[in-house]
Amino acid sequence: MSSREEDRLAGRMSMVKGRLLMIAAEPGAGRAGAQGGAMADEDVGGGASREQEPQATALRGEASGAESAQAAALRDGVSRDGASRGEASRDGASRERLRRWRLVLGGPAEESLGKAEGRDGQMDAALAALYDAGGDGTGTPAKRSAGLGGSAPKVARWLGDIREYFPSTVVQVMQADAIERLDLTRLLLEPEMLAAVEPDVHLVGTLLSLNRVMPEATKDAARQVVRTVVEQLERRIAQQTRAAVSGALNRAARINRPRQADIDWDRTIRANLKHYQAEHRTVIPERLIGYGRRTTAVQRDVILCVDQSGSMAASVVFSGVFAAVLASMRSLRTSLVVFDTAVVDLTEQLSDPVEVLFGTQLGGGTDINRAIGYSQQLITRPRDSIFVLISDLYEGGVRADMLRRVAEMTAAGVQVVVLLALSDEGAPAYDHENAAALAALGVPAFACTPDAFPELMAAAIERRDLTAFAARFADQKASG
């Protein structure tokens, strides 16, 4: 096979992969509803289920060995379906499978599977505008799609179409793909475009990266998009975070004359083991240890130190919202520091997470050592302080000094937490050498989802073993 033919096949598989996951998530979802039942697993080669949120990283259209296996499965599936077309008219399930294969394979399947018409034809056109890169059905790469081009009105209409035909989770992934594959970033600087998009965390990250070049006429629309996403995230995480942190603070505040309902029996028994009475086979406690009750005093200082390099966009968004939620709790003194090669303290803006996010500047280099050095100045009560570094650990500053500062903080009693990411995507590419060096200091580095972050904060407040927490969290993710 010539290199040109290989390029065409790779491009075609890129299109098929994108289409495959879009159609797998199509049933029962768009604004006007969708047609037909679920696509069987054997038909989609293990594609995303209706309940799963499609992952943007699975839709980038990169040719790989896995795609070669997909290609074989698709060819076999099309062959079987083509042979049974005569029966499809009498078999509703077969017709639905043929319909979906037609939408997955696009224009090149028109001769064998028929032309997509009506609503299917409109869906096919929306998919073709994004995933048929060359516009000729071959998948031949082109700088712009023949379907969208660089026209804002065309793109705005396309955004409306995909919101009509697909569920919001799929729309968000298609938007992200359109921005990356078709270079539509500059169109987001136009207010009419922002009014048409489906707000999500990744779109917010893109807008924040454009913050410094955004025209004034666009900023109000951009702020509304960001505010919509922030409010969605607050509804998702605020109550769980406050409950987990408040409970941990109450448990961590030990008292020596507790009421019976407040006795911490585990700690009480361990503290009184020397008073074990063998003849009675029991422990007679001389000292009771109990949980504390609510107090209005500040019990912990929390410093969130967030890397704002371009790869950390989703983590920046979640960190800003979490920082605002934590800052609303009177029992915590919360600081938010963001950094690239410079350090910016956004603590004063935590009353409005939208302002916090617009105070960030995504992109640029990374000086973790400088950011940790600034954060050390904020720590006045080491044993009552929690320092959370959120970074992929690619250090552009002085690595030895960075590790020395972390060692100093842990020796002083600061609870140090290092997160490679705070997002739904999992761990990004990160510096494994620096992660291993931190682990040797007793500070595990791991990726954390927003849903697990409240429990992580509770564990840090109670000074639990974070290495065990990280291992348990990894096991939970591995088991699904």
Side-chain angles (χ1 to χ4, degrees):
M1 180 182 292
S2 69
S3 60
R4 178 175 175 81
E5 289 173 329
E6 289 177 350
D7 289 342
R8 289 167 66 87
L9 178 59
R12 189 65 202 157
M13 286 310 304
S14 168
M15 180 277 289
V16 168
K17 186 176 181 181
R19 280 176 170 261
L20 180 64
L21 291 177
M22 295 304 100
I23 297 304
E26 175 258 340
R31 287 185 182 175
Q35 305 172 21
M39 194 174 194
D41 286 345
E42 60 269 24
D43 291 330
V44 299
S49 69
R50 174 173 159 185
E51 290 77 18
Q52 286 179 308
E53 178 174 351
Q55 299 296 316
T57 54
L59 302 178
R60 301 308 181 201
E62 299 166 351
S64 67
E67 288 171 336
S68 298
Q70 274 187 332
L74 289 174
R75 286 194 297 270
D76 291 342
V78 171
S79 176
R80 291 194 301 271
D81 286 337
S84 63
R85 286 192 69 191
E87 300 176 7
S89 61
R90 298 186 300 275
D91 185 345
S94 294
R95 285 199 301 271
E96 179 61 18
R97 283 196 296 272
L98 287 172
R99 166 186 170 266
R100 286 170 175 270
W101 278 122
R102 170 60 183 83
L103 289 173
V104 166
L105 295 172
E110 184 172 317
E111 182 177 348
S112 58
L113 298 180
K115 183 177 181 180
E117 297 180 344
R119 181 182 176 83
D120 282 358
Q122 295 168 333
M123 290 176 64
D124 187 56
L127 290 164
L130 176 56
Y131 294 112
D132 293 8
D136 59 359
T138 66
T140 303
K143 185 175 180 180
R144 312 280 306 182
S145 163
L148 291 181
S151 164
K154 281 186 179 180
V155 176
R157 284 195 298 271
W158 178 79
L159 288 167
D161 287 344
I162 64 173
R163 292 169 76 178
E164 173 77 14
Y165 304 134
F166 300 100
S168 60
T169 50
V170 174
V171 169
Q172 291 166 9
V173 175
M174 293 180 76
Q175 285 176 176
D177 275 2
I179 291 169
E180 178 176 305
R181 294 167 66 97
L182 306 180
D183 191 25
L184 300 183
T185 301
R186 66 183 181 83
L187 294 182
L188 291 177
L189 299 178
E190 302 182 21
E192 61 270 24
M193 280 292 297
L194 288 178
V197 295
E198 183 81 19
D200 76 312
V201 169
H202 301 289
L203 178 61
V204 168
T206 302
L207 291 177
L208 296 180
S209 70
L210 299 172
N211 187 20
R212 298 297 184 270
V213 299
M214 190 176 292
E216 288 299 322
T218 306
K219 285 191 174 180
D220 286 344
R223 284 179 184 274
Q224 186 55 50
V225 171
V226 174
R227 189 169 298 281
T228 297
V229 173
V230 165
E231 289 172 352
Q232 291 171 351
L233 296 181
E234 285 180 327
R235 287 194 295 271
R236 171 182 169 184
I237 67 175
Q239 183 176 354
Q240 180 186 3
T241 301
R242 293 190 182 104
V245 170
S246 297
L249 288 171
N250 287 338
R251 291 189 295 273
R254 307 295 174 181
I255 57 177
N256 293 322
R257 297 184 64 184
R259 296 175 298 179
Q260 183 174 356
D262 296 333
I263 296 174
D264 182 341
W265 288 108
D266 182 59
R267 286 178 176 261
T268 295
I269 291 171
R270 280 189 286 153
N272 290 276
L273 285 175
K274 63 183 177 180
H275 304 302
Y276 178 73
Q277 303 293 314
E279 64 273 21
H280 299 295
R281 302 181 66 183
T282 189
V283 171
I284 299 179
E286 290 188 0
R287 181 169 67 93
L288 299 177
I289 301 175
Y291 300 124
R293 294 292 96 189
R294 287 187 179 182
T295 175
T296 57
V298 174
Q299 299 178 58
R300 293 289 188 279
D301 296 338
V302 178
I303 300 100
L304 295 178
C305 186
V306 185
D307 182 346
Q308 58 178 353
S309 57
S311 62
M312 302 295 293
S315 296
V316 169
V317 176
F318 280 109
S319 298
V321 177
F322 270 115
V325 172
L326 295 173
S328 69
M329 303 181 66
R330 289 183 294 178
S331 53
L332 300 177
R333 180 183 291 114
T334 303
S335 302
L336 176 64
V337 175
V338 298
F339 67 92
D340 40 37
T341 53
V343 179
V344 180
D345 192 329
L346 297 176
T347 303
E348 294 299 320
Q349 290 153 15
L350 284 177
S351 59
D352 186 350
V354 175
E355 289 302 316
V356 167
L357 294 179
F358 272 95
T360 63
Q361 184 173 354
L362 296 179
T366 308
D367 192 337
I368 304 173
N369 174 54
R370 175 178 289 187
I372 296 177
Y374 177 85
S375 299
Q376 281 182 298
Q377 302 173 32
L378 304 177
I379 299 172
T380 57
R381 306 184 301 165
R383 293 204 59 81
D384 291 325
S385 296
I386 300 168
F387 174 71
V388 183
L389 173 65
I390 303 173
S391 172
D392 55 18
L393 299 180
Y394 287 110
E395 172 63 307
V398 183
R399 176 179 185 269
D401 286 353
M402 174 191 75
L403 297 174
R404 175 181 56 79
R405 291 183 189 279
V406 172
E408 289 173 352
M409 285 195 288
T410 57
V414 178
Q415 182 74 302
V416 179
V417 180
V418 177
L419 300 181
L420 302 172
L422 178 55
S423 69
D424 290 312
E425 280 74 43
Y430 65 94
D431 190 310
H432 291 260
E433 186 176 349
N434 282 337
L438 289 170
L441 296 174
V443 180
F446 58 99
C448 182
T449 64
D451 293 327
F453 187 72
E455 183 185 352
L456 171 62
M457 287 302 300
I461 288 169
E462 296 181 65
R463 305 191 74 86
R464 286 187 249 148
D465 182 359
L466 296 185
T467 300
F469 177 92
R472 189 176 79 254
F473 179 66
D475 290 341
Q476 290 173 348
K477 288 190 68 178
S479 63

